[in-house]
Amino acid sequence: MKRNDILIIHGTDYKEMAKKILTAADVASDIGDRGKRVALKPNLVTASDPSRGATTHAELLDGTLEYLKENGFTNVVVMEGSWVGDNTQSAYRLAGYDRVLKKHGVPFIDLQRDSYHEYDAAGIPINVCDQAAAVEYMINMPVLKGHCQTVVTCALKNAKGQIPNKEKRRFHTMGLHKPIAHLNTVVRNDFILVDNICGDLDFEEGGNPVVMNRVLGFKDPVLCDSYVCDSMGYSIQDVPYIPLAEKLGVGSSDLTKANIIMLNEAAEGMGRFHMTRRVQQLASYVDAKDACSACYGSLIYALDRLNDEGLLRKKSSLICIGQGYQGKEGGKIGIGRCTAGCEKNLMGCPPKAVDIAAFLRENWD
Ligand code: SF4
């Protein structure tokens, strides 16, 4: 897999989706030596069931651990440190990791309890936990979601779990963006497996999940977070740590050079999820007929951007979306190639939130 590749898979069998992404990326060859210390770093920011949109699904850990076992890796651990104020051990149990790790015989390292040392992170001294620093191949497993302070959070910010609590507090006093960018000059990001199953609309701790039913794979954390901005209808300028990390040489934000590899087509349906009232309010502007979750979720993110701009109240026509519109004429405005028969239509399968938001600003009345 090249650094500009972006792997995408849709569906609801999350464990198999994780395995397929790792296989397509040939992570086993990328790791090389079977004795290397490999770590999985999920997002366990808070004690919360992954269906609420804050934490990495246990099925992704299950698929990744099975893949590593099948490929002969024996020195594997899972590590994380929750945010200050939450207990990593409780978060670990609530997310269902205890069962998965027991099944695979893999240890869990609570980084909140680890020792640490200071590193020069491109001119800023930052303490990093010793167990994280000793890893030889890091599989970063963030959740794609919104964040009340940094707007979005994914690969770059997930590295914050590798620092001690006192450093997390200092990051907040420093305004988060600069220290997050600098931290990524000293931590490993060998492969990024993104949980884009149902990340939250705008809060790190979840509560308003937006169902996308996707898993993504990246080699470059800056490219990953830039793609996340597009997926949620933001610009990277809205998230200052992304261009700053690029400036520090962590990766590239140039999505025009990205090579998007779809391992399958978007799948219809929402799986086992239900919409919260807040998501339902955004969905009240939509007339969906058999919409794929990735398409529908992208539209919800786009409508949330329009809501931020105060553009929702003036709208009257419902937005058509979904496979039920395929080959049919009618409807004022439609999103996705299935709604090509609408008077106004944005093609794509699925289109990205940033493009949907731009299209609706111009064409929706
Ligand atoms: S355009 Fe149609 S097929 Fe493609 S993702 Fe959207 S609803 Fe699914």
Side-chain angles (χ1 to χ4, degrees):
M1 180 176 177
K2 298 194 194 78
R3 262 184 95 75
N4 67 331
D5 286 344
I6 299 177
L7 295 170
I8 301 177
I9 191 164
H10 304 87
T12 51
D13 187 345
Y14 309 134
K15 177 183 168 184
E16 279 309 308
M17 288 156 68
K19 287 181 78 175
K20 282 180 180 159
I21 289 273
L22 296 165
T23 304
D26 197 7
V27 165
S29 299
D30 199 37
I31 301 171
D33 182 350
R34 272 29 185 184
K36 266 191 188 170
R37 187 153 181 87
V38 180
L40 280 58
K41 162 66 180 76
N43 184 330
L44 261 187
V45 60
T46 183
S48 165
D49 188 282
S51 64
R52 288 181 55 78
T55 52
T56 307
H57 284 72
E59 294 95 323
L60 298 191
L61 270 75
D62 196 8
T64 303
L65 292 173
E66 195 164 289
Y67 170 85
L68 292 171
K69 193 187 281 180
E70 285 170 0
N71 282 279
F73 295 96
T74 50
N75 190 4
V76 180
V77 294
V78 176
M79 56 177 59
E80 169 64 319
S82 295
W83 65 4
V84 179
D86 238 318
N87 179 296
T88 313
Q89 297 295 328
S90 328
Y92 164 79
R93 281 189 294 276
L94 202 61
Y97 292 6
D98 49 350
R99 291 186 300 279
V100 171
L101 270 64
K102 191 174 172 198
K103 177 174 128 188
H104 292 283
V106 167
F108 180 78
I109 295 170
D110 179 355
L111 293 174
Q112 277 185 335
R113 298 179 179 181
D114 197 15
S115 54
Y116 51 85
H117 281 89
E118 189 177 285
Y119 296 83
D120 176 5
I124 294 183
I126 293 180
N127 287 297
V128 176
C129 296
D130 290 339
Q131 294 267 15
V135 166
E136 294 172 287
Y137 194 95
M138 180 66 83
I139 302 179
N140 185 358
M141 301 177 70
V143 177
L144 184 164
K145 60 185 171 177
H147 188 277
C148 59
Q149 285 171 275
T150 59
V151 182
V152 306
T153 166
C154 199
L156 293 165
K157 194 172 165 301
N158 200 37
K160 218 166 134 262
Q162 298 184 43
I163 59 175
N165 276 353
K166 75 163 196 174
E167 200 65 294
K168 287 180 193 144
R169 289 190 199 95
R170 190 171 73 100
F171 269 36
H172 282 273
T173 64
M174 293 168 75
L176 284 179
H177 289 282
K178 190 172 177 184
I180 287 171
H182 280 256
L183 171 63
N184 277 277
T185 65
V186 291
V187 295
R188 299 195 72 96
N189 249 314
D190 296 294
F191 188 74
I192 304 142
L193 187 75
V194 177
D195 182 332
N196 185 201
I197 294 167
C198 63
D200 195 80
L201 201 54
D202 51 12
F203 278 103
E204 190 183 17
E205 61 267 49
N208 285 296
V210 178
V211 179
M212 298 284 279
N213 280 328
R214 290 196 306 195
V215 178
L216 318 174
F218 296 85
K219 283 292 290 174
D220 180 340
V222 176
L223 192 71
C224 171
D225 285 12
S226 304
Y227 186 79
V228 167
C229 286
D230 263 18
S231 298
M232 297 180 68
Y234 292 109
S235 144
I236 63 163
Q237 307 312 326
D238 297 320
V239 191
Y241 67 71
I242 300 175
L244 184 51
E246 181 173 37
K247 208 168 147 194
L248 294 171
V250 177
S252 167
S253 69
D254 190 354
L255 287 168
T256 62
K257 296 203 176 98
N259 177 35
I260 294 180
I261 303 164
M262 292 265 197
L263 298 187
N264 62 4
E265 300 226 320
E268 189 192 313
M270 301 283 282
R272 60 179 188 244
F273 297 96
H274 298 286
M275 283 188 275
T276 60
R277 183 170 296 181
R278 173 123 183 268
V279 177
Q280 275 175 16
Q281 277 168 355
L282 296 169
S284 67
Y285 294 87
V286 181
D287 188 5
K289 289 187 172 61
D290 306 325
C292 299
S293 42
C295 213
Y296 197 86
S298 299
L299 176 55
I300 293 295
Y301 279 124
L303 288 169
D304 197 42
R305 299 292 71 75
L306 266 57
N307 191 35
D308 292 344
E309 296 160 23
L311 295 175
L312 280 188
R313 272 165 298 172
K314 303 170 199 156
K315 307 299 175 186
S316 54
S317 52
L318 288 175
I319 303 163
C320 303
I321 190 168
Q323 295 185 26
Y325 287 97
Q326 265 174 5
K328 293 186 180 148
E329 298 290 320
K332 283 199 162 177
I333 188 161
I335 297 298
R337 72 172 183 204
C338 292
T339 60
C342 288
E343 283 173 33
K344 292 175 182 170
N345 160 260
L346 175 70
M347 292 299 275
C349 181
K352 291 189 285 190
V354 71
D355 298 328
I356 298 174
F359 172 77
L360 292 177
R361 279 186 204 105
E362 284 288 308
N363 295 287
W364 189 27
D365 48 39

